Amino acid sequence: MLFNSIHFLFFFPIVTILFYLLKHKWRWVLLFIASTYFYSAFYLPYILILYFIIIIDYICGLLIEKSDKKLKLFWLVFSIISNIGLLTYFKYYNFFVDVFIDFVPKLKHISIILPIGLSFHTFQSLSYTIEVYKGNQKAEKHIGYFANYVLFFPQMVAGPIETYARLGNELKTNHKFKYKNIAAGLRLILYGLFVKMCIADNFAPMVNDFYNNPTQFHSAYAWVALFAFSIQIYADFYGYSTIAIGAAKLLGIDLMNNFNQPYFATSFYQFWQRWHISLTTWFRNYVFFPLGGSYVNSLKWVFNILLVFALSGFWHGANYTFIIWGLAHGFFYLTEKQFLKIIPKTIPSTKLQNILGGILTFTLITLIWVLFRAENMDKAITVFKQCFSYTLIAQSHLSLHFETAIMFLIFIVFEILLYQSRFDFYLKNLNIYIRWTVYTTLILCIILFSGIQSFQFIYFQF
Amino acid sequence: MKKLFYKFCLTLLIVGCCLAIANFIYTKYYYKNDIEILDASMLQKIDSLQYICDVLYFAESSNGTVSNNDTCQLSISEMIDELSPLKVGAIDHGAVHARSYLQLIKNIKPNSKVKTLVITLNSRSFGSPWINSKIETNLAQADIIYEPNFPIIKRLKLAFNAYDNKSVEMRNLINEKNWSEQKLNVPSNFPYKTVRQWDNGMANGTYLLPDGKWDSPKITLACHYIKTYAFSIDTNSNPRIKNFDEIVELANEKKLNLVFHLLAENMQYADSLVGKELVHIMNENKQLLIDRYTKKGVTVVNSFNLVNGKDFIDQDWTTEHYNQTGRWILAKNVVKILR
């Protein structure tokens, strides 16, 4: 079920009302049924995959806690293999067939579609067994709560990827009906819908036009399309995450923030502390640190950084383009680190430096997004060539509606105002008339100017 | 609680006002553009033609597709218009089907001049490939525009995905599932029980050239005939049956004469390329449609076997596109019942 669907607009209020009407001890049943229904709306049979993950990791968690050291490791590896195996089969099998088909001609592609959000579920569930193994988390005895941790519908298909320590506890807490939670949740949902439907969905047709036939457009248009995709992907994912956080908030449950104005970052290092924070945290905790983190020699450290970025790219999709996208981020991250080592620490950073750093970072990130958006390397190379061909002869044109431009300006203003804050916190402190003017403007924008063509959330495919 | 109720009412009031203002602005400045973007031009056709025509001819591309070699470039509906004393107008668009017709018919007003609806009954549209075609999402979006609603409500339904918006991958998966699982109504000694088996059997070198190589174009076409026409209509679950049934009810409510025009299919090629089993399946579907809708009081014009293979424009694909000979045959067949 999509957040921006009529289906959800009916489903969610019913769940919220029932949630507060029910006694705490029965709420897990409601959330389990609601989450199952929510996911089944995409494709019913795939709910079994989630149930499989739940059962495996629930049992593994209990066994890890009970077992001695060697057996603990065995059950952890079993959990990892089960989760990654599932992910590999559904997401990477055909990719590996392409890679190895020359060596093993008998390999055949399978006709399958990727279960929505599989990478998110598996990573979230894995974090639980790893934490139990490390002794930081007690194994959950109640399968209902654990099931809801994996299935919790606001964040099940595109994150944020939560730890059991956070979400598990939130799910177990007896949340009382509070007006402030309802108001905060509705504000976040409204803003998330605006960002997704008015910004992302209105930039999408322009980006699609360009990427469907990049050679039809001249360099200037190519750059416009590249920046448009930067906006689209941010608005798409940020919008989704904001709705997810808002939906959970209505139930009294706090989810972590997944974004913190990433395009205001003045370096790649900062960018990765502000973009898809939950995934960055996951890779840092469960890949980078176990590899030795920063406490290794320089060469190993460089290797670790590149490996983490490459894996992060591969997590997004089974394509070379994603791996190279990750590696490109790793390369710039390392270059930036080396560059900063050269500059004496005594020189204070000025505003101008920050602005220039911000522009450079945003431009490079925008260029690298090409690898993320292009279906294959050939297309990515064509797009790069088009950007740097410096021709001004175009067979086609890209256009942005006036209304979209105005909404984009509204979005930028909000992003500046929300620096180091969140939409619900910021609005709460405003005068009632300003607040309701904001609500009315956003509602009117959604009703009148949201994109009418169907664009799924980009991160659903991951 | 009182405060909450007050806020709730205020919210409802604001949303209501927003909707009213938005409907005015949207209808005045943006609605036409959205109709264009979604390629929902049939709405304008029905709005204008219902006041000048006696007969409306609802069709997909079979109506207006002509061959470059045709000396007569008239569409089927224009031919009917020429042959009949009644004024005939076409509500047509490529790839549309009964669900769109149903929404459009809802727009016929009581004061319209229309007395008769002729609706193409395309047997191919009852099959899985058309039901799950990759353009189905676009058609479903256009159907929202065809609904007789306030424009702003249509826009909201579009914005909030209140239509069948399955992904192309999902539609392909459903198609593949249907081809692999649905049992065919074929004699028990026939080696293939499903479309997938039959398609694979056909694909494995059935047609060979004199030099021993596979005749790929012929095999491709034969496989396409199998995937397109080898299905049995389940009257309980087929969405097209549901749509046509609803059209019958709606026409009765609106007191309109209803004619279903069962379009010609290329039976010659189905026979020569694939064989009598496919012809049998196609004929069974034809008979089912004729019987079902005749029983419901609809006049069914049967043009199913009337057009020769060579009179189909697309010789290397399955379509209901006819050259002028074919179109005249169909038009004359329809005119017989309009007199």
Side-chain angles (χ1 to χ4, degrees), chain B residues 183-206:
Chain B
K183 293 277 176 280
L184 293 169
N185 190 10
V186 284
S188 56
N189 58 348
F190 190 63
Y192 312 119
K193 304 297 175 210
T194 64
V195 169
R196 182 44 69 219
Q197 289 173 8
W198 200 351
D199 176 56
N200 287 343
M202 181 62 75
N204 287 328
T206 321

Side-chain angles (χ1 to χ4, degrees), chain A residues 127-361:
Chain A
S127 76
Y128 163 78
T129 44
I130 295 171
E131 288 301 323
V132 174
Y133 174 79
K134 285 159 85 178
N136 299 333
Q137 174 67 52
K138 281 192 170 179
E140 177 56 64
K141 307 282 184 297
H142 193 302
I143 193 166
Y145 284 121
F146 182 69
N148 282 337
Y149 163 68
V150 179
L151 282 176
F152 186 49
F153 69 86
Q155 51 87 249
M156 75 189 303
V157 286
I161 302 167
E162 291 280 0
T163 57
Y164 196 78
R166 270 181 61 91
L167 186 55
N169 284 339
E170 285 283 327
L171 290 167
K172 284 180 176 175
T173 306
N174 183 6
H175 296 284
K176 297 269 185 316
F177 178 87
K178 282 181 189 159
Y179 174 75
K180 64 172 188 176
N181 284 342
I182 303 293
L186 287 175
R187 278 178 202 137
L188 287 169
I189 290 173
L190 178 65
Y191 187 60
L193 287 174
F194 167 76
V195 174
K196 159 67 183 159
M197 295 168 73
C198 296
I199 307 299
D201 286 358
N202 277 315
F203 274 80
M206 187 208 262
V207 174
N208 290 353
D209 281 353
F210 173 74
Y211 274 91
N212 285 343
N213 216 337
T215 52
Q216 298 264 308
F217 301 88
H218 62 54
S219 312
Y221 280 136
W223 280 100
V224 169
L226 259 56
F227 281 105
F229 182 66
S230 279
I231 305 303
Q232 185 204 341
I233 192 163
Y234 173 52
D236 195 274
F237 196 14
Y238 172 51
Y240 176 89
S241 295
T242 308
I243 302 169
I245 294 165
K249 187 76 189 168
L250 270 165
L251 303 174
I253 293 167
D254 280 315
L255 295 180
M256 70 182 289
N257 285 334
N258 219 7
F259 292 93
N260 181 16
Q261 273 88 19
Y263 289 152
F264 291 163
T266 56
S267 63
F268 274 77
Y269 171 75
Q270 267 192 20
F271 177 78
W272 281 105
Q273 289 195 316
R274 292 154 170 251
W275 176 276
H276 204 175
I277 298 165
S278 61
L279 182 71
T280 312
T281 311
W282 197 98
F283 271 105
R284 190 191 62 208
N285 291 346
Y286 304 123
V287 182
F288 185 64
F289 286 167
L291 286 170
S294 300
Y295 302 102
V296 288
N297 64 47
S298 301
L299 205 64
K300 180 90 193 302
W301 177 75
V302 168
F303 173 78
N304 289 351
I305 292 283
L306 288 175
L307 179 69
V308 168
F309 273 107
L311 284 176
S312 158
F314 200 45
W315 176 88
H316 283 88
N319 198 329
Y320 289 113
T321 51
F322 287 108
I323 300 172
I324 298 171
W325 172 79
L327 286 172
H329 269 279
F331 170 77
F332 284 113
Y333 181 90
L334 291 170
T335 309
E336 183 182 277
K337 285 272 177 195
Q338 290 308 309
F339 180 73
L340 288 174
K341 273 185 190 169
I342 300 166
I343 298 174
K345 282 182 180 166
T346 47
I347 300 176
S349 63
T350 63
K351 257 194 176 173
L352 182 69
Q353 276 176 345
N354 283 338
I355 291 170
L356 289 176
I359 292 171
L360 182 66
T361 306

Side-chain angles (χ1 to χ4, degrees), chain B residues 118-231:
Chain B
V118 181
I119 298 173
T120 51
L121 190 59
N122 186 327
S123 67
R124 191 162 58 95
S125 75
F126 291 80
S128 180
W130 194 329
I131 291 169
N132 301 297
S133 98
K134 64 180 178 185
I135 60 164
E136 188 53 32
T137 300
N138 299 30
L139 294 176
Q141 287 175 325
D143 287 352
I144 298 276
I145 293 283
Y146 298 145
E147 287 175 6
N149 261 333
F150 286 114
I152 200 67
I153 300 294
K154 297 181 193 181
R155 190 175 210 292
L156 277 175
K157 287 180 86 171
L158 286 166
F160 284 95
N161 296 288
Y163 54 86
D164 175 10
N165 69 342
K166 285 190 210 83
S167 65
V168 173
E169 293 78 17
M170 183 61 78
R171 292 187 197 283
N172 289 342
L173 188 81
I174 295 170
N175 248 336
E176 194 53 52
K177 200 165 170 272
N178 290 341
W179 285 336
S180 306
E181 291 175 6
Q182 283 178 3
K183 293 277 176 280
L184 293 169
N185 190 10
V186 284
S188 56
N189 58 348
F190 190 63
Y192 312 119
K193 304 297 175 210
T194 64
V195 169
R196 182 44 69 219
Q197 289 173 8
W198 200 351
D199 176 56
N200 287 343
M202 181 62 75
N204 287 328
T206 321
Y207 288 107
L208 300 175
L209 293 165
D211 63 1
K213 287 181 184 163
W214 290 11
D215 187 345
S216 292
K218 210 169 179 182
I219 291 173
T220 306
L221 188 57
C223 286
H224 191 64
Y225 265 84
I226 293 166
K227 283 185 280 194
T228 306
Y229 292 112
F231 62 89

